[in-house]
């Protein structure tokens, strides 16, 4: 009887922690969805060439991979909520520097540092938080819950951001995003922070990973970068030619993924995750193939709506498998390995894209998706 009561209390605490995380994720996702897809386009507007933009993001993700190590040490010492909180001022500093620094000069590379620090702190804290408080038996649904919390708000974010950028410019958009990022930190501290002061060594970050999972993480990281950096540049410069159009396309992707997330999450918990992963990856590959040769706005809209569904089918079961493999006694170094593989691979891919024809990035998406079908 006592054991049952303890489990019920623990489940309540887990649900409360996840609810707080969902609220933070939702507000932060809305804020960043208003600006994220437009940052490459902002740099283009300021006269930065496409290869230099790829190199800028390669530096961001390379730094992020390395900075995950000190971020994990901070999370272990002070708590994962604190590192999520500390990511906010660095994100705001990045937006401020992006606005005031002469990005067409060598100063652009300095802007990459606060961006990398912010993302390393946030995602390290997020993954530790989620692995710690999610329930393995219902993790697919809980991953879906986190993604729905983000997707519901992201549906409106890109469209709103595109309208603001087109009508009044980027400075007001930067201010609005900064205010929302500050608001997003409030729900986290409705309960106390949790941390585990356990030292770890770099070799601990690689012990729990199989070659198959490492390859999967690297491919997923590269595909995320292609969708968030390469694809917006292509549809803006070659097809849509407007901020509103890019914002609408991104919003449609989030809208269709919202519906798919809950269904896929439940099916992942029901033992069908591997099937969903293979089907979703196969659909991704076909969609990237069409994207690589797309020439009209209609094709862009259709493929992005379908991509919202196919990406969800692949991503939710893959995330569940990644989280399920986390050793309970070594969550922090496991998360460090996760970030090193994912963002290190993306940084290397972006350097390659910088020296190749731009659409090579889209065909890489095709190859990556088929790799997941094989895995």
């Amino acid at each position: 009887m006592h054991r049952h009561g303890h489990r019920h209390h623990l489940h309540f605490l887990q649900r409360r922690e996840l609810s707080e995380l969902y609220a933070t994720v939702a507000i932060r996702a809305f804020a960043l969805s208003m600006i994220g897809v437009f940052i490459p386009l902002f740099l283009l507007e300021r006269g930065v060439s496409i290869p230099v933009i790829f190199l800028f993001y390669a530096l961001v993700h390379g730094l992020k991979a390395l900075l995950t190590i000190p971020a994990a040490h901070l999370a272990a010492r002070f708590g994962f909520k604190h590192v999520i909180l500390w990511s906010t001022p660095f994100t705001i500093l990045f937006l401020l520097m992006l606005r005031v620094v002469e990005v067409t000069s060598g100063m652009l590379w300095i802007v990459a540092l606060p961006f990398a620090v912010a993302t390393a702190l946030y995602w390290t804290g997020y993954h530790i938080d989620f692995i710690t408080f999610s329930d393995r038996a219902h993790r697919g649904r809980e991953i879906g819950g986190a993604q729905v919390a983000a997707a519901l708000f992201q549906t409106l974010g890109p469209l709103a951001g595109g309208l603001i950028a087109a009508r009044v410019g980027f400075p007001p958009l930067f201010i609005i995003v900064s205010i929302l990022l500050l608001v997003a930190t409030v729900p986290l501290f409705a309960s106390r922070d949790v941390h585990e002061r356990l030292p770890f060594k770099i070799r601990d970050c690689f012990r729990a990973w199989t070659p198959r999972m490492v390859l999967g993480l690297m491919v997923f990281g590269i595909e995320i970068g292609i969708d968030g950096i390469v694809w917006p540049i292509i549809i803006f410069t070659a097809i849509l030619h407007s901020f509103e159009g890019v914002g609408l396309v991104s919003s449609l992707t989030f809208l269709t993924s919202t519906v798919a997330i809950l269904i896929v999450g439940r099916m992942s918990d029901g033992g069908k995750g591997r099937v969903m992963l293979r089907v979703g990856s196969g659909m991704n590959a076909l969609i990237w193939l069409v994207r690589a040769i797309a020439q009209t706005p209609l094709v862009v809209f259709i493929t992005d709506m379908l991509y919202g569904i196919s990406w969800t089918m692949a991503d939710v079961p893959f995330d569940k498998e990644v989280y399920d493999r986390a050793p309970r006694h070594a969550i922090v170094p496991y998360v460090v390995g996760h970030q090193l593989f994912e963002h290190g691979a993306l940084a290397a891919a972006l350097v390659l894209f910088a020296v190749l024809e731009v659409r090579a990035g889209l065909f890489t998406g095709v190859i990556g998706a088929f790799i997941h079908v094989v895995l």
Side-chain angles (χ1 to χ4, degrees):
M1 185 68 177
H2 179 266
R3 181 181 300 177
H4 176 77
H6 173 73
R7 289 172 58 190
H8 177 77
H9 179 63
L10 178 61
H11 182 69
F12 171 76
L13 291 177
Q14 289 175 326
R15 296 304 306 167
R16 179 176 176 180
E17 293 286 346
L18 285 179
S19 296
E20 294 167 3
L21 183 62
Y22 289 170
T24 294
V25 166
I27 301 171
R28 183 182 183 275
F30 177 65
L32 294 184
S33 68
M34 293 178 68
I35 190 68
V37 71
F38 300 108
I39 291 175
L41 309 185
F42 172 77
L43 294 175
L44 274 176
E45 195 179 57
R46 299 286 292 272
V48 183
S49 68
I50 291 177
V52 171
I53 292 174
F54 289 165
L55 291 175
F56 168 75
Y57 275 97
L59 179 59
V60 168
H61 288 279
L63 287 172
K64 176 185 176 181
L66 296 176
L67 290 170
T68 298
I69 299 171
H73 281 289
L74 290 172
R77 181 173 182 180
F78 298 103
F80 49 78
K81 292 184 181 181
H82 280 80
V83 296
I84 292 176
L85 173 66
W86 296 337
S87 73
T88 299
F90 283 101
T91 306
I92 295 173
L93 176 61
F94 160 67
L95 294 175
L96 178 63
M97 292 180 67
L98 196 64
R99 176 67 186 92
V100 301
V101 168
E102 182 57 49
V103 295
T104 55
S105 70
M107 295 294 289
L108 173 63
W109 310 110
I110 299 176
V111 180
L113 182 58
F115 193 9
V117 172
T119 52
L121 288 171
Y122 176 82
W123 286 110
T124 301
Y126 172 87
H127 289 305
I128 295 173
D129 189 343
F130 199 92
I131 293 173
T132 301
F133 290 105
S134 59
D135 178 10
R136 183 185 180 96
H138 303 95
R139 189 164 279 154
R141 272 173 280 188
E142 290 172 347
I143 292 170
Q147 293 192 1
V148 164
L152 285 173
F153 286 84
Q154 286 174 320
T155 298
L156 298 175
L159 183 57
L163 290 172
I164 294 171
R167 304 299 169 82
V168 297
F170 280 98
L173 181 58
F174 289 163
I175 294 172
I176 294 171
V177 170
S178 297
I179 293 172
L180 287 172
L181 287 172
L182 290 172
V183 174
T185 63
V186 175
L188 274 181
F189 292 90
S191 62
R192 68 182 182 87
D193 203 351
V194 176
H195 59 282
E196 193 173 4
R197 298 191 181 187
L198 292 177
F200 66 91
K201 299 177 181 178
I202 296 299
R203 64 173 178 268
D204 297 334
C205 303
F206 307 102
R207 286 178 173 171
W209 294 99
T210 65
R212 183 180 71 84
M213 291 300 292
V214 170
L215 181 58
L217 274 178
M218 293 171 68
V219 171
F220 258 81
I222 293 171
E223 186 176 356
I224 290 171
I226 296 171
D227 186 57
I229 302 168
V230 179
W231 180 238
I233 288 176
I234 287 180
I235 61 175
F236 179 77
T237 58
I239 303 174
L240 299 180
H241 308 293
S242 74
F243 292 122
E244 295 100 324
V246 175
L248 179 59
V249 165
S250 298
S251 292
L252 285 173
T253 304
F254 290 127
L255 178 63
T256 55
S257 65
T258 302
V259 178
I261 285 169
L262 291 175
I263 300 173
V264 174
R266 291 181 180 275
M267 293 184 70
S268 296
D269 286 333
K272 298 180 180 178
R274 177 56 53 182
V275 175
M276 299 297 292
L277 175 58
R278 292 184 184 278
V279 173
S281 297
M283 289 178 61
N284 277 356
L286 294 176
I287 290 170
W288 278 115
L289 184 61
V290 175
R291 278 179 163 184
I293 59 175
Q295 299 290 334
T296 66
L298 179 61
V299 173
V300 170
F301 288 129
I302 293 174
T303 57
D304 272 62
M305 290 179 67
L306 293 175
Y307 187 72
I309 298 172
S310 64
W311 170 255
T312 300
M313 292 174 66
D315 182 52
V316 172
F318 183 75
D319 281 351
K320 173 178 166 53
E321 185 172 353
V322 169
Y323 288 144
D324 284 349
R325 288 176 175 267
R328 300 302 297 181
H329 63 283
I331 291 175
V332 174
Y334 182 84
V335 168
V336 172
H338 177 288
Q339 298 293 282
L340 285 173
F341 296 133
E342 185 175 297
H343 295 279
L346 176 54
L350 287 167
V351 172
L352 182 62
F353 296 161
V355 298
L356 296 175
E357 197 272 328
V358 175
R359 285 185 181 260
L362 300 189
F363 284 107
T364 303
V366 178
I367 296 170
F370 273 123
I371 287 175
H372 271 284
V373 176
V374 175
L375 291 176

